[in-house]
Amino acid sequence: MRGIRVGVACAGMSLLVASLLTACAGDTSVVVPTDGPSAPATTSAPPTPTPTPTPEIVTWAGKVCIARDDLVATVGEIAMNLQYDPESPESVGEQFQSQVEAQMGDVEAASERLGAALGGVPLDYIEAAAALTAIQAQVDALTAARDRTMGHVDAAQQAGDPVSAGLEWLKAAGAAKETFDAGTATLDALSQASGAVDGDVQDAFAEAPECQ
């Protein structure tokens, strides 16, 4: 009788185990609990905008204005020493004699920089190239006046007597005045040309930071 009861009990247990295994067979997922806080969501930084390149014509206008400002300063220095009497060689003071060579050197350098800047106009802007013809003529006149000044300075320094030297210094002062006038005329021509051209060229002078 005891063996029968055990068999029945074992049979019942077998059925219970089988039913549990069958129930578990349909779900194989495992849930793993987490104790820590959830990781924050990552966000990507917005792309850095690409800077717009400066138009070639604006860059050119900026170089022209830098050279213009150099010439303005140089011409101003000449004017500071032009206090003399055109009829009196003695009125040409030592300050003029000691500074004129350096000033004419500055004029030469400034006019060369301006000429180089003007000549660098982009080929696509024919209207600017046409307007630069008058300016270049003024730059040439400025260079010629500078050369005349230095010719008289050299003659004064090599003169054999004070009278001849005084006359040459007086001529040098007159030529320096011509250099000043030619420099002023160059600046005026440049201002007129930059205002006369239309379209992109005029806008370039308005936009270039160096021209403000």
Side-chain angles (χ1 to χ4, degrees), residues 37-204:
S38 59
T42 58
T43 57
S44 59
T48 302
T50 302
T52 303
T54 303
E56 187 179 13
I57 190 65
V58 175
T59 300
W60 168 79
K63 292 179 180 179
V64 171
C65 287
I66 291 174
R68 174 205 63 190
D69 292 345
D70 288 346
L71 184 59
V72 168
T74 301
V75 170
E77 290 177 359
I78 296 174
M80 295 177 63
N81 286 339
L82 287 179
Q83 298 179 359
Y84 70 99
D85 181 356
E87 303 297 329
S88 173
E90 293 78 9
S91 66
V92 181
E94 293 182 359
Q95 182 175 354
F96 174 84
Q97 297 178 24
S98 63
Q99 295 182 2
V100 63
E101 287 187 83
Q103 290 176 347
M104 292 302 110
D106 292 341
V107 167
E108 181 180 20
S111 60
E112 288 178 352
R113 284 193 295 268
L114 180 59
L118 293 171
V121 60
L123 296 177
D124 294 337
Y125 298 92
I126 300 176
E127 68 275 18
L132 297 180
T133 303
I135 301 176
Q136 188 57 54
Q138 293 295 338
V139 172
D140 293 342
L142 173 60
T143 300
R146 179 262 172 197
D147 290 344
R148 284 194 299 274
T149 303
M150 287 307 304
H152 292 301
V153 169
D154 292 340
Q157 293 174 341
Q158 297 174 11
D161 60 89
V163 174
S164 298
L167 291 174
E168 289 297 338
W169 280 120
L170 186 61
K171 293 177 182 178
K177 175 63 168 59
E178 294 176 1
T179 303
F180 170 80
D181 293 339
T184 303
T186 300
L187 295 171
D188 290 343
L190 179 58
S191 177
Q192 293 173 5
S194 61
V197 292
D198 297 325
D200 292 341
V201 176
Q202 188 177 59
D203 293 342

